[in-house]
């Protein structure tokens, strides 16, 4: 039975009912809806807006309905449209008039707004935990790989030697900012829309501060029209999801490259790889590829919601019912991605020898060789030029810079001495970095210590 049937002389067609209904996807808000309704009933009772015993009966019955939903004993109907009216219908079926009083001083517009905020607050807590786990895993790996030398790249060309720990901690910092972005998002979301009514507030002597306290919000939305009309907090949430997915996706792209025969830097565990139906030798990094692909989906969710909201006049419009699909999808996708990613990197094998070998070739000590000449008093630009010619010479001979004889070195500049070999050895290049936040062993150790202190 329709809760709003009074004004209508004709029933909706079944096609219209079906098109209008959101119960298929918003039923996952049932817990939040019941939580909001229980607080609302308590407030109505406390304020004497409905009889206290009826408020109690409503609360008790809502708890029972929650248990019945969990036990699969409640059948939702399309006719009741959404989760709010489905629960209210069941409530009224069970306790009659008392159930019909629950919707006093409330509208579905503030009801759905509070439901999504409650849902997202839990979602953010879950994401926070998953990101924490991922970051812990990165720290553990970084600790193990402080002495694992690898090429650092720019333009995907070997650039300067770094350590794997350093590379991993770069991602740690990105995920740390992602995590704090979710915290910021929560901070702005943490205001209660319930009690706003449809758009203009209500005529009842409600106590919204009490509601905020009951539901764990730090305050009350200061303007009722804003409270029911906007979904910027959901846009912000999906935007946080998108940025996190972007970081995951870059990391995945690297793992895909690193696990190719061409790199052979890592081997993803069999448990997180798949085979080919035709090529027996294949072991594919599907999890990483899927995360990279799903990143596109989450960006799509962000674009959907921004576009859904952009043309809406204040206050509530039914378009807003469409907010849930991208919100749910972005959260689900991010959680699944962070989870599988963490498992995948915790179990992958790092081929430290291959990384080190790759770091030895590619003239990555060229900058250090130039810096060496600077210490001998030459201007950096001249040093750059000299080393450039040396690299060209070495490429021609098919050797590394440190494979030149001292006579060959001196042929390019009489400033070169025997100590050049030690100065441009790979670990020396890493060790010699002095700037704060660098790849030097010392600096990475400090970065790890700072991370531990933050926690
Ligand atoms: N199912 C609706 C939604 O998700 C609930 C709010 C409906 N309000 C209304 N006035 N039709 O947005």
């Amino acid at each position: 039975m329709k809760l709003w049937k009074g004004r209508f002389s004709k029933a909706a067609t079944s096609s219209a009912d079906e098109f209008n209904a959101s119960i298929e996807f918003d039923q996952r808000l049932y817990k939040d809806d019941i939580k909001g309704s229980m607080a609302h009933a308590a407030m109505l009772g406390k304020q004497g807006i409905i009889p206290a015993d009826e408020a109690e009966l409503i609360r008790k019955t809502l708890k029972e309905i929650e248990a019945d939903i969990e036990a699969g004993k409640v059948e939702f109907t399309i006719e009741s449209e959404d989760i709010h009216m489905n629960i209210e219908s069941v409530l009224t079926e069970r306790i009659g008039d008392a159930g019909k009083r629950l919707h006093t001083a409330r509208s579905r517009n503030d009801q759905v707004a509070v439901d999504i905020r409650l849902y997202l607050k839990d979602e953010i807590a879950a994401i926070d935990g998953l990101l924490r786990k991922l970051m812990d895993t990165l720290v553990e790996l970084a600790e193990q790989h402080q002495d694992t030398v690898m090429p650092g790249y720019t333009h995907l060309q070997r650039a300067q030697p770094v350590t794997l720990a350093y590379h991993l901690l770069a991602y740690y910092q990105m995920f740390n900012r992602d995590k704090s972005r979710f915290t910021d998002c929560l901070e702005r979301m943490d205001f209660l829309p319930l009690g706003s009514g449809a758009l203009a507030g209500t005529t009842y002597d409600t106590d919204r501060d009490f509601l905020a306290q009951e539901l764990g919000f730090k305050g009350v939305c200061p303007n009722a029209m804003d409270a029911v009309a906007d979904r910027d907090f959901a846009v912000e949430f999906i935007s946080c999801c998108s940025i996190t997915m972007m970081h995951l996706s870059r990391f995945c792209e690297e793992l895909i490259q690193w696990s190719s025969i061409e790199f052979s830097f890592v081997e993803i565990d069999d448990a997180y790889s798949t085979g080919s139906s035709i090529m027996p030798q294949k072991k594919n990094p599907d999890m990483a590829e899927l995360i990279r692909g799903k990143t596109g989906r989450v960006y799509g969710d962000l674009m959907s919601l921004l576009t859904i909201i952009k043309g809406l006049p204040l206050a509530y419009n039914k378009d807003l019912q469409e907010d849930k699909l991208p919100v749910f999808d972005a959260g689900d996708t991010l959680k699944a991605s962070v989870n599988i990613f963490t498992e995948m990197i915790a179990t992958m094998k790092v081929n430290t020898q291959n990384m080190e070998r790759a770091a030895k070739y590619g003239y990555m000590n060229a900058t250090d060789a130039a810096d060496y000449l600077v210490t001998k008093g030459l201007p950096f630009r001249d040093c750059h030029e000299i080393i450039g010619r040396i690299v060209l010479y070495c490429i021609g001979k098919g050797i590394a810079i440190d494979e030149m004889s001292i006579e060959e070195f001196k042929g390019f500049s009489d400033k070169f001495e025997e100590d050049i070999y030690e100065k441009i050895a790979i670990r020396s290049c890493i060790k010699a970095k002095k700037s704060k936040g660098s790849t030097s062993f010392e600096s990475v150790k400090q970065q790890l210590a700072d991370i531990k202190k933050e926690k």
Side-chain angles (χ1 to χ4, degrees), residues 22 26 81-82 84 108-109 112 316 318 320-321 324:
S22 54
D26 67 13
E81 203 174 313
D82 54 24
H84 326 296
R108 266 187 301 155
N109 299 351
V112 70
Y316 178 85
K318 192 66 171 246
L320 290 176
Q321 179 163 285
K324 285 160 216 75

Side-chain angles (χ1 to χ4, degrees), residues 137-380:
T137 305
L138 286 173
V139 167
E140 258 168 57
L141 280 172
E143 257 164 357
Q144 291 162 25
H145 290 287
Q146 294 185 67
D147 193 48
T148 303
V149 173
M150 65 179 287
Y153 297 85
T154 61
H155 314 269
L156 198 56
Q157 305 287 326
R158 290 181 192 173
Q160 293 189 323
V162 296
T163 63
L164 177 57
Y166 179 65
H167 196 115
L168 294 170
L169 291 185
Y171 279 113
Y172 176 95
Q173 295 299 337
M174 296 178 217
F175 293 124
N176 193 29
R177 287 194 297 278
D178 291 337
K179 194 164 140 312
S180 77
R181 256 184 284 274
F182 279 105
T183 310
D184 292 349
C185 171
L186 177 67
E187 183 76 6
R188 271 180 291 280
M189 187 191 297
D190 204 10
F191 294 89
L192 173 94
L194 190 61
S196 297
L199 75 161
T202 69
T203 53
Y204 300 91
D205 179 26
T206 54
D207 185 348
R208 297 190 64 207
D209 296 312
F210 168 83
L211 280 176
Q213 216 170 22
E214 280 284 285
L215 292 172
F217 286 93
K218 75 163 186 235
V220 168
C221 292
N223 177 293
M225 189 173 257
D226 167 47
V228 291
D230 204 8
R231 295 288 186 269
D232 59 352
F233 60 88
V235 172
E236 199 175 347
F237 171 78
I238 305 181
S239 160
C240 294
C241 293
S242 298
I243 297 174
T244 311
M245 289 298 293
M246 170 187 79
H247 289 145
L248 278 176
S249 181
R250 285 186 86 167
F251 206 157
C252 284
E253 168 64 18
E254 294 197 318
L255 293 181
I256 292 162
Q257 288 175 8
W258 292 0
S259 59
S260 69
I261 291 213
E262 284 70 13
F263 276 83
S264 295
F265 285 181
V266 298
E267 189 179 341
I268 293 171
D269 196 83
D270 278 6
Y272 298 96
S273 308
T274 56
S276 155
S277 56
I278 170 168
M279 297 166 282
Q281 85 284 11
K282 291 296 289 291
K283 180 172 153 184
N284 298 326
D286 287 29
M287 307 301 136
E289 292 168 61
L290 275 172
I291 293 171
R292 192 177 58 184
K294 284 171 191 290
T295 301
R297 242 197 38 229
V298 175
Y299 291 2
D301 292 330
L302 177 60
M303 209 38 68
S304 293
L305 189 55
L306 282 167
T307 313
I308 286 165
I309 303 172
K310 86 173 180 52
L312 302 185
L314 300 189
Y316 178 85
N317 300 268
K318 192 66 171 246
D319 313 46
L320 290 176
Q321 179 163 285
E322 292 288 313
D323 64 352
K324 285 160 216 75
L325 292 158
V327 164
F328 294 161
D329 185 62
D332 289 347
T333 308
L334 177 68
K335 284 187 298 181
S337 300
V338 175
N339 190 45
I340 200 87
F341 185 83
T342 305
E343 292 178 13
M344 182 172 67
I345 61 167
T347 52
M348 77 187 175
K349 189 172 149 265
V350 179
N351 299 327
T352 54
Q353 282 172 351
N354 289 348
M355 285 189 166
E356 177 134 5
R357 195 173 317 124
K360 282 214 171 107
Y361 295 94
Y363 307 103
M364 287 192 295
N365 48 5
T367 312
D368 302 85
D371 288 341
Y372 171 88
L373 288 179
V374 170
T375 65
K376 303 285 173 178
L378 294 183
F380 182 76

